[in-house]
C-alpha cells in the first residue's frame, strides 16, 4: 500500500506576521517559510506506518509556486520516498487543492491519504474533508491516534472532538487529517538531507491533471485585527480585585 | 476579470433555477434568501452553538431570510431535539428532521450526503453550521459534493455574500466575497454571534417540523466508516466554549496536582477551566481544555491566565475576551501585552490569596 501525504509551505509558525499597508494580504517576502506544522505530523505518521511494515511507499505532494520544492525536499529528508510538485499559483483555495489531490490519487492509487487538519496561514480546516468527499472515501479528521489493520483493511482512528475523544473505524482507502497530538515529528539528519537531494521530485501542472483552477472566492481585503487598549500592571492581589470590581465591573 | 463576470452570470442563473420538486414538502415558500442551518444536538437538546448559527443567519443575511434547521439522528432524542429547535428560537421557520439509523452518530459521510440531498430539494442560498468539531468535519465535505468553496470560522457577516474571518491565528482579518453558485456555505464562530436572551426564550408558536424524505438517500460512501465509541471527561463546571469566566493555567503550574488550584478558583468564580498546549502536553489536563488556534476559541467576560506566556497560538483562542487578567512571574511575558490587568507575581502565592479574597459566584 502506498501512502500519499499533502504538505503545504507556510510562514513559519513562530513569525509575527505583518499585514501589507495596501491591505492586499500578508507580507511574505523575506519572511521565514517552513512546512506547515500539521503537515509535518501527517508525514511523520505516514513514515511510522511504513516503518511498521504496513506501507510500501510514502509520496509527498505539494502545490504552489517553485519554492514548494524546498518544502518537498524537507519531506524527502524526513524519509518520504518521492515527491510530486504541482506547479500552481500561490493562492489556491482548498476546493482546488482537493481537486488536484483527487487527480493525483486517481493516478497513484494510494491506500491512505494523510493531511494536516489545517494550514496555519489560512486556518481553513477544509482540504482533507473536501478531498474525502470528492473521492467518496471515509474521513478520519483531527486524528490523535491511528491504528492500521492490514488484514481487515481498516484504520481505527481516535478523533479529538469538542467533548473529548471519538473512535471511528474506517474502511481503506481513507483520508486522515492529523491533530497536534498524533505524534512528535522527527528532525531530518544531515545524511538524510544529503540523500534527499537524489530523490525524485516530479513536476506536473494542473492542466496535465485536467483540473481547472477556478475560484469562487474573491479576497476583498486583509486588515489588522482591532488593537486592545493598553492594560495596567497592578502591584498586588488586593489592587487587582479592586480594579476588577470597580473599573471592569466583572464582580 | 472575465472569469469573474461569468461567475456572476452563473450565480444569477442559479437564482432563477431554484429547482421546484412538487413532491417535496418544503418548496412551497419561494424566496430570495433562505438558509439551512445544520443543527447539532445531544440528549434531546439542540446545542447553543447551533442557535448561534441561527442568530448569524437571522441577523445578517438579507431581509426576509427564512431559516430552516436540519437535525439528524434516530429515535426519541432526535424528536425531542426537533421540538426544542422548533420552539426555542423565533427566527427558525422550519425544522427538518432526518430520522435514520445511518445518522445515529454524527458521521461526516452520511451527513454530507444528507446535506446534498436536502440542498437539491430546497435550493437554499446559504448553508451554515457552527465551527464546532462537528461543523468543521461535515460542512467542507458537503461543500465538495456541491462543488462550492466553503468559508470557515466567519466572525462577521457584512452582506449576504461578504464575510470576515480571522487568518494567521487571528493576527489578520480577511474579508472575502463569495462569487460562486449557490449555496454559499459557511461555518461561524459561535462566540461572535451570541444568542440574545430574548431570542433564547421559548416562543408561543412553534415552527413546523417536517421529516426529510430519505428514499433517495445516496448510499455511495456510507458504511465505510463506523462509530466505535466516545470518551468524555465528566465535569460539573460550565462548558469552556460558553462560560462567562475562564481560568486558564499554563506550564507555570508545574504539575497536574497544582492544576487543582486553578480548578478551585474556577469553581469559586463559577467558571470553566482552560489550559495551554504546554499544560496539555505535560499531561496536567485533558486535551479538550486546550484554548488556542488548534483548541477551543473562547470569548468570556473574564479570562484569567496563570503561568501562561502568551504564545501567538494561545492568544488566537482568547484575544476576544472582554477582560483579560494575566498573572505571571515573568514581567516580559507577551501575555501582558494583551492583558487589561497584569500582576507580576508567583502564582502559587497569588492563587491562594485570590481564593481567599475573591467574592464567591455560584
Amino acid at each position: 500500500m502506498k501512502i500519499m501525504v499533502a504538505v503545504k509551505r507556510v510562514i513559519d509558525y513562530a513569525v509575527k506576521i505583518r499585514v501589507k499597508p495596501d491591505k492586499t494580504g500578508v507580507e511574505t517576502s523575506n519572511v521565514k517559510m517552513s512546512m506547515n506544522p500539521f503537515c509535518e505530523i501527517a508525514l511523520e505518521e505516514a513514515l511510522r506506518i511504513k516503518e511498521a511494515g504496513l506501507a510500501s511507499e510514502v509520496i509527498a505532494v505539494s502545490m504552489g509556486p517553485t519554492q514548494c520544492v524546498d518544502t518537498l525536499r524537507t519531506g524527502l529528508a524526513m524519509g518520504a520516498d518521492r515527491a510530486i510538485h504541482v506547479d500552481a499559483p500561490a493562492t489556491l483555495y482548498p476546493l482546488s487543492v482537493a481537486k488536484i489531490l483527487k487527480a493525483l490519487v486517481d493516478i497513484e492509487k494510494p491506500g491512505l491519504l494523510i493531511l494536516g487538519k489545517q494550514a496555519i496561514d489560512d486556518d481553513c480546516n477544509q482540504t482533507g474533508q473536501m478531498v474525502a468527499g470528492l473521492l467518496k472515501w471515509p474521513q478520519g479528521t483531527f486524528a490523535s491516534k491511528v491504528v492500521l489493520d492490514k488484514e481487515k483493511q481498516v484504520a481505527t482512528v481516535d478523533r479529538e472532538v469538542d467533548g473529548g475523544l471519538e473512535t471511528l473505524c474506517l474502511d481503506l482507502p481513507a483520508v486522515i487529517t492529523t491533530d497536534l497530538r498524533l505524534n512528535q515529528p522527527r528532525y531530518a539528519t544531515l545524511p538524510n538531507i544529503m540523500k534527499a537531494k537524489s530523490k525524485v521530485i516530479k513536476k506536473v501542472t494542473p492542466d496535465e491533471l485536467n483540473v481547472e483552477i477556478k475560484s469562487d472566492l474573491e479576497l476583498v481585503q486583509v486588515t489588522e485585527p482591532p488593537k486592545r487598549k493598553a492594560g495596567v500592571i497592578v502591584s498586588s492581589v488586593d489592587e487587582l480585585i479592586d480594579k476588577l470590581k470597580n473599573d471592569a465591573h466583572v464582580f | 476579470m472575465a472569469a469573474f463576470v461569468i461567475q456572476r452570470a452563473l450565480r444569477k442563473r442559479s437564482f432563477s433555477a431554484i429547482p421546484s420538486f412538487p413532491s417535496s414538502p418544503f418548496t412551497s415558500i419561494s424566496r430570495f434568501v433562505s438558509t439551512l442551518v445544520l443543527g447539532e444536538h445531544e440528549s434531546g437538546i439542540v446545542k447553543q452553538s447551533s442557535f448561534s448559527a441561527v442568530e448569524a443567519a437571522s441577523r445578517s443575511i438579507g431581509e426576509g431570510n427564512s431559516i430552516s434547521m436540519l437535525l439528524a439522528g434516530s429515535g426519541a432524542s432526535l424528536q425531542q431535539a426537533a421540538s426544542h429547535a422548533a420552539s426555542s428560537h423565533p427566527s427558525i421557520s422550519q425544522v427538518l428532521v432526518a430520522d435514520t439509523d445511518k445518522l445515529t452518530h454524527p458521521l461526516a459521510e452520511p451527513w454530507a450526503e444528507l446535506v446534498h440531498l436536502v440542498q437539491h430539494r430546497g435550493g437554499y442560498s446559504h448553508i451554515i453550521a457552527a465551527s464546532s468539531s462537528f461543523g468543521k468535519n461535515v460542512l467542507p465535505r458537503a461543500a465538495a459534493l456541491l462543488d462550492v468553496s466553503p468559508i470557515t470560522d466567519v466572525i462577521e457577516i457584512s452582506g449576504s455574500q461578504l464575510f470576515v474571518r480571522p487568518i494567521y491565528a487571528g493576527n489578520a482579518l480577511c474579508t472575502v466575497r463569495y462569487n460562486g453558485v449557490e449555496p454559499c456555505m459557511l461555518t461561524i464562530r459561535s462566540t461572535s454571534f451570541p444568542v440574545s436572551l430574548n431570542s433564547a426564550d421559548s416562543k408561543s408558536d412553534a415552527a413546523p417540523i417536517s421529516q426529510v424524505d430519505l428514499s433517495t438517500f445516496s448510499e455511495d460512501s456510507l458504511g465505510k466508516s463506523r462509530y466505535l465509541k466516545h470518551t468524555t471527561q465528566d465535569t460539573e463546571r460550565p462548558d469552556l466554549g460558553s462560560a462567562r469566566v475562564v481560568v486558564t493555567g499554563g506550564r507555570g503550574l508545574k504539575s497536574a496536582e497544582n492544576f487543582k488550584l486553578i480548578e478551585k478558583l474556577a469553581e469559586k468564580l463559577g467558571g470553566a477551566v482552560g489550559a495551554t498546549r504546554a499544560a496539555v502536553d505535560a499531561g496536567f489536563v485533558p486535551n479538550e481544555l486546550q484554548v488556542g488556534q488548534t483548541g477551543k476559541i473562547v470569548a468570556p467576560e473574564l479570562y484569567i491566565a496563570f503561568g501562561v506566556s502568551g504564545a501567538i497560538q494561545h492568544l488566537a483562542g482568547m484575544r476576544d475576551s472582554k477582560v483579560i487578567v494575566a498573572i505571571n512571574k515573568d514581567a516580559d511575558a507577551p501575555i501582558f501585552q494583551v492583558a487589561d490587568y497584569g500582576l507580576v507575581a508567583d502564582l502559587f502565592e497569588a492563587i491562594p490569596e485570590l481564593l481567599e479574597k475573591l467574592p464567591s459566584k455560584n
Side-chain angles (χ1 to χ4, degrees):
Chain A
M1 179 181 84
K2 288 192 242 183
I3 302 179
M4 188 181 278
V5 181
V7 296
K8 184 176 184 183
R9 178 176 179 265
V10 298
I11 293 183
D12 190 84
Y13 73 93
V15 170
K16 176 110 181 65
I17 58 118
R18 278 176 300 126
V19 173
K20 288 184 189 169
D22 65 359
K23 298 186 178 175
T24 55
V26 166
E27 194 60 67
T28 51
S29 53
N30 296 319
V31 173
K32 187 185 177 200
M33 307 292 279
S34 304
M35 190 188 291
N36 180 44
F38 291 98
C39 301
E40 284 185 352
I41 295 168
L43 183 53
E44 174 67 31
E45 192 65 18
L47 297 172
R48 289 186 189 189
I49 291 171
K50 187 190 160 193
E51 283 157 5
L54 299 167
S56 55
E57 190 181 32
V58 175
I59 309 161
V61 303
S62 190
M63 41 208 80
T66 321
Q67 297 95 315
C68 290
V69 169
D70 302 342
T71 309
L72 288 172
R73 284 276 171 229
T74 309
L76 293 171
M78 281 173 73
D81 296 290
R82 61 189 168 94
I84 302 171
H85 171 225
V86 182
D87 197 5
T91 48
L92 282 179
Y93 288 104
L95 181 60
S96 303
V97 176
K99 286 179 180 175
I100 294 171
L101 278 174
K102 179 185 185 292
L104 291 173
V105 164
D106 289 343
I107 295 168
E108 297 285 348
K109 309 232 178 324
L112 195 58
L113 176 60
I114 312 183
L115 303 87
K117 81 162 177 182
Q118 75 190 63
I120 59 163
D121 52 358
D122 61 22
D123 283 334
C124 275
N125 195 333
Q126 298 171 346
T127 306
Q129 295 88 312
M130 296 185 87
V131 70
L134 295 177
L135 289 164
K136 306 241 173 248
W137 286 7
Q139 69 191 50
T141 50
F142 328 142
S144 60
K145 189 178 170 197
V146 175
V147 179
L148 280 194
D149 186 329
K150 211 176 173 182
E151 297 280 292
K152 293 184 188 145
Q153 282 290 300
V154 294
T156 307
V157 178
D158 283 1
R159 304 180 54 230
E160 300 262 338
V161 294
D162 286 340
L165 274 183
E166 182 183 83
T167 310
L168 299 181
C169 181
L170 312 174
D171 289 347
L172 296 180
V175 176
I176 289 172
T177 73
T178 60
D179 214 313
L180 277 176
R181 263 162 290 274
L182 183 59
N183 60 46
Q184 191 66 46
R186 68 193 67 184
Y187 290 103
T189 57
L190 190 59
N192 286 343
I193 294 172
M194 300 311 288
K195 249 191 270 172
K197 291 189 175 164
S198 57
K199 291 183 182 172
V200 180
I201 299 181
K202 190 176 146 197
K203 186 172 150 181
V204 292
T205 63
D207 277 349
E208 287 161 8
L209 297 168
N210 284 322
V211 177
E212 190 197 350
I213 309 272
K214 51 164 192 177
S215 178
D216 44 9
L217 288 177
E218 176 199 348
L219 181 76
V220 178
Q221 63 170 18
V222 174
T223 54
E224 300 243 10
K227 290 246 184 320
R228 291 187 76 94
K229 68 173 181 23
V232 292
I233 296 288
V234 296
S235 57
S236 67
V237 168
D238 289 316
E239 194 188 340
L240 175 63
I241 294 175
D242 177 66
K243 293 272 189 202
L244 288 176
K245 263 188 198 154
N246 302 317
D247 290 358
H249 306 291
V250 287
F251 295 125
Chain B
M1 192 60 206
F4 177 59
V5 171
I6 292 166
Q7 275 164 8
R8 286 295 282 269
L10 277 173
R11 180 152 65 91
K12 285 219 183 79
R13 179 149 20 111
S14 80
F15 264 116
S16 56
I18 289 173
S20 62
F21 289 84
S23 59
S24 162
F26 42 86
T27 46
S28 52
I29 323 150
S30 79
R31 64 218 163 210
F32 198 62
V33 185
S34 57
T35 306
L36 183 69
V37 173
L38 311 188
E40 199 182 350
H41 62 97
E42 193 176 62
S43 30
I45 305 277
V46 175
K47 289 196 178 168
Q48 199 64 17
S49 58
S50 297
F51 287 126
S52 285
V54 173
E55 197 74 18
S58 67
R59 266 204 264 152
S60 327
I61 305 181
E63 291 283 304
N65 183 6
S66 105
I67 300 172
S68 307
M69 181 177 276
L70 174 63
L71 294 168
S74 58
S77 92
L78 172 66
Q79 302 306 330
Q80 270 170 20
S83 50
H84 179 225
S87 58
S88 297
H89 199 292
S91 303
I92 297 179
S93 54
Q94 181 173 223
V95 178
L96 304 173
V97 176
D99 191 341
T100 164
D101 292 346
K102 299 185 185 78
L103 285 157
T104 305
H105 303 291
L107 297 174
E109 294 78 13
W111 251 102
E113 293 292 348
L114 175 68
V115 172
H116 190 244
L117 180 146
V118 170
Q119 171 62 20
H120 271 274
R121 297 215 194 119
Y124 297 92
S125 64
H126 293 73
I127 299 181
I128 304 187
S131 280
S132 57
S133 57
F134 163 80
K136 287 192 283 199
N137 189 37
V138 168
L139 190 119
R141 186 178 178 110
L145 299 185
L146 293 161
D147 196 23
V148 305
S149 281
I151 303 157
T152 301
D153 230 6
V154 168
I155 58 168
E156 195 184 317
I157 299 176
S158 318
S160 67
Q161 313 275 333
L162 198 61
F163 310 99
V164 181
R165 58 179 300 267
I167 53 174
Y168 289 93
N171 288 300
L173 298 180
C174 173
T175 307
V176 287
R177 180 178 287 117
Y178 181 70
N179 291 324
V181 295
E182 295 191 336
C184 172
M185 299 181 74
L186 39 142
T187 63
I188 56 102
R189 181 174 287 189
S190 44
T191 53
S192 301
F193 301 94
V195 181
S196 56
L197 280 174
N198 298 345
S199 44
D201 281 347
S202 49
K203 51 176 183 173
S204 48
D205 52 333
I209 300 176
S210 25
Q211 304 287 327
V212 177
D213 173 13
L214 294 169
S215 56
T216 56
F217 200 33
S218 163
E219 308 267 333
D220 266 8
S221 53
L222 307 187
K224 291 182 184 172
S225 68
R226 290 166 297 280
Y227 172 92
L228 296 183
K229 66 172 194 264
H230 187 107
T231 25
T232 48
Q233 292 277 329
D234 281 329
T235 171
E236 283 155 24
R237 282 184 293 273
D239 174 55
L240 182 55
S242 54
R244 216 182 59 83
V245 177
V246 173
V247 187
T248 291
R251 200 199 305 268
L253 264 298
K254 295 201 177 85
S255 72
E257 195 55 35
N258 291 337
F259 223 91
K260 298 226 160 62
L261 286 170
I262 298 281
E263 290 168 14
K264 250 191 215 161
L265 189 60
E267 247 154 60
K268 177 146 192 188
L269 295 170
V273 171
T276 64
R277 187 184 170 207
V280 170
D281 283 352
F284 302 168
V285 283
N287 303 341
E288 68 256 31
L289 297 188
Q290 186 183 330
V291 171
Q293 185 181 19
T294 62
K296 294 259 169 50
I297 312 275
V298 301
E301 281 174 43
L302 175 61
Y303 189 88
I304 316 183
F306 290 96
V308 172
S309 64
I312 297 171
Q313 291 77 15
H314 182 72
L315 300 183
M318 45 66 80
R319 65 194 312 151
D320 294 327
S321 306
K322 304 271 180 325
V323 175
I324 298 173
V325 175
I327 294 159
N328 203 309
K329 268 201 297 206
D330 176 9
D332 296 326
I335 188 87
F336 286 123
Q337 288 161 23
V338 299
D340 299 284
Y341 304 105
L343 175 61
V344 181
D346 186 339
L347 62 92
F348 295 109
E349 286 163 21
I351 300 181
E353 200 178 340
L354 279 165
L355 276 170
E356 187 188 319
K357 292 177 177 168
L358 275 179
S360 187
K361 278 261 170 178
N362 269 318

